[in-house]
């Protein structure tokens, strides 16, 4: 069973320009940029990188993102 329910509406963000504008099957939302997130923030961000989760969280805070930020490690600690 996957972590994310494809029936729930959500947005995806990636700092990799090559990923932006693409899709993650089976989801219908296009992958957006970090700037899209900052310009039109969501209430909660789930960072799916085990390697860079804390670094991405700090970077988002440094850019004044004020929503909730969870990492995959936070979910595992449950």
């Amino acid at each position: 069973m996957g972590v994310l329910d494809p029936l729930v509406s959500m947005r995806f963000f990636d700092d990799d320009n090559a990923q932006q504008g693409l899709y993650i099957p089976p989801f219908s939302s296009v992958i957006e940029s970090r700037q899209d997130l900052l310009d039109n923030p969501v209430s909660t961000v789930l960072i799916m990188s085990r390697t860079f989760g804390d670094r991405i969280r700090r970077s988002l805070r440094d850019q004044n993102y004020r929503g909730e930020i969870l990492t995959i490690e936070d979910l595992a600690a449950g």
Side-chain angles (χ1 to χ4, degrees):
M1 181 168 127
V3 173
L4 303 175
D5 183 348
L7 300 178
V8 174
S9 177
M10 61 187 80
R11 293 168 62 195
F12 296 94
F13 305 93
D14 200 304
D15 289 335
D16 181 356
N17 291 337
Q19 298 300 315
Q20 295 164 14
L22 301 178
Y23 296 86
I24 301 171
F27 300 95
S28 61
S29 299
V30 67
I31 299 171
E32 301 176 62
S33 70
R34 180 184 295 232
Q35 192 60 53
D36 293 327
L37 169 62
L38 297 171
D39 290 345
N40 187 19
V42 295
S43 60
T44 303
V45 169
L46 174 58
I47 300 170
M48 299 298 287
S49 172
R50 290 187 188 275
T51 307
F52 300 108
D54 286 331
R55 184 184 305 175
I56 295 168
R57 182 191 335 241
R58 284 191 305 274
S59 177
L60 286 170
R61 288 289 180 228
D62 289 346
Q63 291 184 287
N64 295 316
Y65 175 78
R66 296 295 170 229
E68 181 179 24
I69 302 174
L70 300 171
T71 66
I72 194 74
E73 298 299 328
D74 294 331
L75 295 181

